[in-house]
Amino acid sequence: MNKVEDEVALISPLYSAAFSQIAPQQAEAKPRRRRNRNKGGEDSRFGAKKRKLTQEQVDVLELNFGNEHKLESEKKDRLASELGLDPRQVAVWFQNRRARWKNKKLEEEFSKLQSIHDGVVLEKCRLESEVMKLKEKLCEAQKEIQRLGERVDGVSSNSPSSSLTMEAMDAPFLFEFGGYEDVFCIAENSYNIHGMEWMNL
DNA sequence: AAGTTTCAATTCTTACATCA
DNA sequence: CTGATGTAAGAATTGAAACT
């Protein structure tokens, strides 16, 4: 396994985990109860409207998130008192931070898969054009063989020891594959083959 | 079975940008 | 400048599922 595959394999469980939980909800799509607006009013939990954590608070939270994405209850209380926040706020911050982290990972995995996909498409194009070139070569070879065959037929009735007969004999491999007919047959049929299907022939 | 925790989805607020 | 409007980011809530 190469590095990219390694990383993708590492992150991939995120997809299954995410999708396994999203799917049932999408299927049912129950309506959610709307929350009452609390415009400029009192927040039931904090007594006053308190929003937007300070940069310093965020920095400390980020530092702790960097070490451990999950929050032990003890650590939550300690952080909360250290930052002058409600423990609930710390818990919510970690929860939202985990969600953002997960989204970021999914985006990263998506762009990795996309670049792998682009590479594969490019390689497919290259192989297809190679197949086309080989088919053209094959076609030319067949025409040459046919020309030689016709000359052999024309001359053999007059002179069995002519140089043309010898030319024909220089390609003994053709006879091992059952003669010209099979070769022609393959070449004609393979003109309408796309992708790598021709290999099955 | 009831309480707790976690998660995805959603709502709501804030800050900032743009435009008339 | 200023107020209206749009929008991205993130704080907070909700309900369901998993866990204890």
Side-chain angles (χ1 to χ4, degrees):
Chain A
M1 210 184 238
N2 64 31
K3 188 169 178 271
V4 173
E5 284 170 335
D6 242 0
E7 287 172 343
V8 168
L10 191 72
I11 303 165
S12 281
L14 286 172
Y15 274 120
S16 49
F19 284 24
S20 66
Q21 297 200 29
I22 291 167
Q25 298 214 14
Q26 282 176 332
E28 299 194 8
K30 286 181 183 170
R32 282 162 177 272
R33 198 170 69 204
R34 254 192 124 79
R35 200 189 325 170
N36 287 337
R37 282 190 158 240
N38 190 24
K39 234 175 181 163
E42 299 260 309
D43 186 289
S44 57
R45 280 174 197 278
F46 311 118
K49 191 168 74 172
K50 190 168 183 180
R51 289 224 149 234
K52 193 77 180 172
L53 307 183
T54 67
Q55 190 55 50
E56 196 183 339
Q57 288 170 326
V58 172
D59 288 345
V60 174
L61 289 167
E62 284 287 355
L63 204 68
N64 281 272
F65 183 81
N67 299 332
E68 180 62 67
H69 291 192
K70 294 263 171 137
L71 197 57
E72 312 258 332
S73 160
E74 206 175 285
K75 189 178 171 186
K76 176 174 69 184
D77 294 338
R78 186 170 50 73
L79 262 175
S81 66
E82 183 185 333
L83 298 172
L85 295 170
D86 190 288
R88 171 73 186 161
Q89 280 179 290
V90 176
V92 165
W93 187 90
F94 265 74
Q95 188 176 315
N96 287 321
R97 187 66 182 81
R98 278 196 296 273
R100 287 196 292 272
W101 181 83
K102 191 170 177 178
N103 272 338
K104 195 178 151 225
K105 283 289 165 192
L106 285 172
E107 278 174 20
E108 282 171 12
E109 180 172 8
F110 176 79
S111 55
K112 268 178 203 155
L113 289 173
Q114 195 165 42
S115 70
I116 290 171
H117 173 261
D118 290 348
V120 169
V121 167
L122 212 66
E123 177 67 359
K124 178 175 176 275
C125 287
R126 194 189 65 74
L127 289 171
E128 278 174 354
S129 94
E130 200 177 322
V131 166
M132 287 301 292
K133 282 178 195 161
L134 289 170
K135 280 178 182 172
E136 280 168 23
K137 273 189 180 177
L138 183 62
C139 188
E140 289 304 313
Q142 284 163 359
K143 284 178 190 165
E144 181 64 15
I145 289 165
Q146 195 168 20
R147 268 202 305 277
L148 292 173
E150 284 163 1
R151 284 163 73 181
V152 168
D153 285 345
V155 173
S156 62
S157 56
N158 301 331
S159 167
S161 61
S162 74
S163 60
L164 288 172
T165 307
M166 292 306 288
E167 263 186 277
M169 295 302 282
D170 283 341
F173 70 92
L174 288 170
F175 299 100
E176 289 173 22
F177 293 100
Y180 300 135
E181 292 83 0
D182 287 350
V183 176
F184 293 152
C185 180
I186 289 170
E188 283 160 11
N189 290 340
S190 61
Y191 273 115
N192 295 324
I193 295 171
H194 301 292
M196 299 299 284
E197 289 164 19
W198 64 279
M199 287 188 79
N200 297 330
L201 292 166

